[in-house]
Amino acid sequence: MFTVSTVNVNGIRAAAKKGFTEWFGQTSADVVACQEVRADLDVIPKALVDPEGWHAAHAVCEVKGRNGATLYSRLEPEASRIGFGAAEFEASGRYVEMELPGVVVASLYLPSGEVGTDRQDEKERFLDVFLPYLVELREKAAADGREVVVMGDWNIAHAEIDLKNWKGNKKNSGFLPEEREWMGRVFGEGGYVDVQRRLDPEGPGPYTWWSYRGKAFDNDAGWRIDYIAATPRLAQACTSVVVERADSYDQRWSDHAPVTATFDWTP
């Protein structure tokens, strides 16, 4: 079996104090992807920079306290890569990948946006360059006899069943028609499979992010924006996808929940 987990930690130093360290110590995953780490390596607890029994690769943002993507693997990588070749985003802490035996794994923190601002323009530029890279990655991996799994915070809810209040968010970043169409292309011409939706095509949810505001978590008024996207052969081997939602609001160590997928497949 091969198990992967992904979670936006919403600041790894804060998450470590609230329970992430304990979760990480207990996970059975072979690969863990983290996003929104938001810290330079010299201020992250050493046990999370270079944890015993794991191989780690960190994409640190050049702007202190922003972004950050990390991969932890129990398997020794044959190669690691920070960024995906787009000059604007190389030092932005948004993407890191590892080549493992038989599979390429990646941690993605896709930009969030805000309609009518520079942030949305940045998000659109990212989408424009990242989809061609995903196609290139899949094709190169196939030529090398590898599968691919790209996991992380994609900051887009693909369909109406992927967020509770879809009617009220039609004009908001994260659920714009053009963003949803882009996700459809990832799972179409891009050649990837949304492993959660393969096993649970009807929904609604399960949601992976809930605002800290109001009673969003208690009312399960969330968004499904954390995805595990795999190449078709690997996706076919997926036997379960679990959103590790906290039992109560006060037990949360992030505004996201880990998403864990298990594959009947051996690297």
Side-chain angles (χ1 to χ4, degrees):
M1 306 297 281
F2 178 61
T3 301
V4 300
S5 287
T6 182
V7 62
N8 178 318
V9 295
N10 193 24
I12 198 165
R13 287 176 293 174
K17 295 175 182 177
K18 296 176 182 178
F20 171 74
T21 302
E22 289 75 14
W23 176 87
F24 184 65
Q26 295 170 5
T27 183
S28 60
D30 301 291
V31 176
V32 172
C34 297
Q35 304 86 39
E36 208 172 349
V37 174
R38 297 208 314 254
D40 289 341
L41 299 185
D42 58 354
V43 297
I44 298 174
K46 187 178 186 306
L48 295 175
V49 174
D50 186 23
E52 185 177 352
W54 297 84
H55 304 273
H58 306 274
V60 177
C61 183
E62 62 184 352
V63 180
K64 287 185 178 296
R66 295 287 305 280
N67 307 339
T70 288
L71 274 175
Y72 300 105
S73 172
R74 298 185 194 271
L75 303 168
E76 183 175 1
E78 298 171 7
S80 298
R81 176 175 183 168
I82 306 299
F84 56 94
E88 179 181 0
F89 301 106
E90 272 315 81
S92 64
R94 294 207 175 270
Y95 183 83
V96 56
E97 71 181 33
M98 288 180 176
E99 293 182 8
L100 304 178
V103 63
V104 179
V105 295
S107 177
L108 166 69
Y109 181 41
L110 196 146
S112 59
E114 184 178 352
V115 172
T117 71
D118 291 342
R119 292 177 58 211
Q120 191 66 27
D121 295 339
E122 177 193 23
K123 185 175 186 178
E124 291 172 2
R125 292 194 301 272
F126 190 98
L127 300 182
D128 286 343
V129 292
F130 190 60
L131 181 56
Y133 179 74
L134 285 175
V135 174
E136 175 189 330
L137 174 63
R138 175 179 54 78
E139 292 175 346
K140 182 179 183 299
D144 293 340
R146 284 188 171 94
E147 302 298 323
V148 180
V149 56
V150 179
M151 51 190 154
D153 180 356
W154 295 67
N155 265 314
I156 298 171
H158 184 202
E160 293 173 1
I161 58 174
D162 293 318
L163 72 165
K164 186 71 168 284
N165 182 24
W166 64 267
K167 291 181 180 178
N169 281 286
K170 289 182 177 181
K171 297 182 180 180
N172 290 334
S173 184
F175 198 59
L176 297 174
E178 57 269 31
E179 295 173 336
R180 297 172 59 199
E181 186 268 341
W182 183 88
M183 286 298 296
R185 294 176 64 194
V186 172
F187 301 130
E189 67 194 69
Y192 291 83
V193 176
D194 177 351
V195 296
Q196 177 74 64
R197 281 290 167 252
R198 177 184 167 271
L199 295 179
D200 177 19
E202 301 299 326
Y207 308 125
T208 64
W209 174 81
W210 304 262
S211 172
Y212 278 130
R213 298 176 182 176
K215 295 286 187 178
F217 183 80
D218 294 337
N219 296 332
D220 200 22
W223 295 54
R224 190 176 78 97
I225 54 176
D226 302 88
Y227 294 83
I228 296 174
T231 42
R233 180 172 172 268
L234 183 59
Q236 286 291 326
C238 186
T239 58
S240 73
V241 182
V242 177
V243 176
E244 299 183 39
R245 188 180 190 273
D247 291 333
S248 62
Y249 183 96
D250 60 352
Q251 293 182 36
R252 305 171 75 190
W253 41 262
S254 171
D255 50 356
H256 294 249
V259 182
T260 300
T262 299
F263 301 86
D264 188 4
W265 182 86
T266 303

